[in-house]
């Protein structure tokens, strides 16, 4: 009817109610169709490593949007370019790409595997890359007048939704807690909290 226009077909699909569904679970629908065969909700999907790394850099205000140019080493903390421009070696694949299910460049793969392993979360908790992005996010929030306002801005920036009162209460309890008698931590309270926000499933998954 539309002259075999793929663009118009895409528009029809993307404007449909089914395509725009979220992943929220309705108990009645879950009982009737637990496997979601009738598509009453979207199946939750984790961002691929390129999209996730780019989103981290953007949220921290560190993303370099320049187009084109030579590939750059993804292991370098000073590399703020989009992951699309990361160097891919068949003999020495970047640890970040390997850890987050980038396909083996020596093989043909019809699709990427999706794994959830402890090493991925250890990277999020301990890598210098994540620390740098946490500090960048704190800088993005520095202009706000108080901690509660910063928390609300962070939620909008990272998750695209307002923070609930529970979110704000939990954040303020952590941010105002005493550091104790231990030696000065490597990261400030706000940097630690920012790293936690960046490490959440809500940031890494499409809902």
């Amino acid at each position: 009817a539309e002259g075999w226009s793929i663009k118009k077909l895409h528009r029809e699909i993307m404007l449909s109610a089914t395509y725009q569904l979220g992943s929220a679970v309705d108990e009645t629908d879950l009982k009737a169709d637990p496997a979601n065969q009738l598509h009453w909700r979207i199946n939750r999907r984790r961002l691929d490593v390129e999209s996730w790394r780019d989103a981290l850099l953007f949220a921290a205000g560190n993303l370099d949007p320049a187009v084109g140019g030579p590939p750059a080493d993804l292991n370098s903390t000073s590399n703020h370019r989009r992951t699309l421009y990361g160097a891919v070696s068949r003999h020495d694949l970047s640890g970040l790409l390997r850890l987050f299910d980038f396909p083996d460049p020596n093989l043909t793969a019809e699709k990427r595997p999706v794994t959830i392993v402890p090493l991925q979360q250890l990277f999020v908790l301990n890598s210098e890359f994540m620390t740098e992005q946490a500090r960048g996010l704190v800088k993005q929030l520095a202009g706000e007048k108080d901690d509660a306002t910063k928390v609300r801005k962070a939620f909008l920036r990272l998750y695209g939704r307002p923070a609930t009162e529970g979110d704000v209460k939990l954040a303020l309890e952590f941010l105002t807690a005493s550091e104790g008698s231990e030696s000065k931590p490597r990261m400030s309270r706000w940097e630690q909290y920012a790293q936690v926000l960046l490490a959440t499933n809500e940031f890494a998954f499409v809902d």
Side-chain angles (χ1 to χ4, degrees), residues 4-191:
W4 299 99
S5 170
I6 298 299
K7 181 181 287 186
K8 290 182 179 179
L9 178 61
H10 286 170
R11 184 182 294 112
E12 186 74 19
I13 293 171
M14 288 186 283
L15 292 177
S16 69
T18 302
Y19 189 88
Q20 296 178 45
L21 287 172
S23 64
V25 173
D26 179 85
E27 293 300 326
T28 303
D29 291 333
L30 183 63
K31 289 179 181 178
D33 180 21
N36 194 31
Q37 292 182 328
L38 300 178
H39 302 293
W40 53 271
R41 66 182 176 93
I42 190 175
N43 292 317
R44 208 172 191 216
R45 176 176 60 84
R46 192 178 75 184
L47 294 173
D48 58 44
V49 62
E50 295 97 326
S51 302
W52 178 67
R53 180 180 175 275
D54 290 0
L56 287 168
L57 289 168
F58 180 82
N62 291 329
L63 183 66
D64 178 0
V67 176
D73 181 10
L74 290 173
N75 294 323
S76 171
T77 56
S78 63
N79 178 9
H80 295 160
R81 303 209 60 203
R82 291 176 58 203
T83 315
L84 171 68
Y85 298 112
V88 175
S89 169
R90 288 195 232 175
H91 307 294
D92 186 21
L93 186 64
S94 161
L96 171 67
L97 297 181
R98 186 186 301 110
L99 187 58
F100 289 94
D101 304 324
F102 190 84
D104 186 340
N106 290 295
L107 303 173
T108 300
E110 68 170 295
K111 63 180 181 180
R112 299 186 186 193
V114 178
T115 62
I116 300 176
V117 295
L119 286 176
Q120 293 170 348
Q121 198 61 22
L122 286 173
F123 172 89
V124 168
L125 292 173
N126 300 312
S127 72
E128 187 60 35
F129 173 77
M130 290 298 298
T131 302
E132 181 188 4
Q133 305 325 309
R135 289 177 175 144
L137 177 57
V138 172
K139 290 179 182 177
Q140 297 300 307
L141 306 173
E144 302 304 324
K145 60 181 179 179
D146 55 47
D147 283 346
T149 307
K150 288 182 182 180
V151 171
R152 292 189 176 94
K153 181 177 178 180
F155 270 72
L156 286 172
R157 185 175 182 86
L158 298 181
Y159 310 139
R161 67 168 178 87
T164 65
E165 289 306 312
D167 292 330
V168 176
K169 181 173 181 282
L170 190 63
L172 294 179
E173 286 176 358
F174 174 77
L175 293 168
T176 57
S178 171
E179 294 283 4
S181 59
E182 300 177 5
S183 59
K184 186 176 180 180
R186 181 173 62 97
M187 301 172 69
S188 70
R189 280 277 171 175
W190 252 108
E191 289 169 349

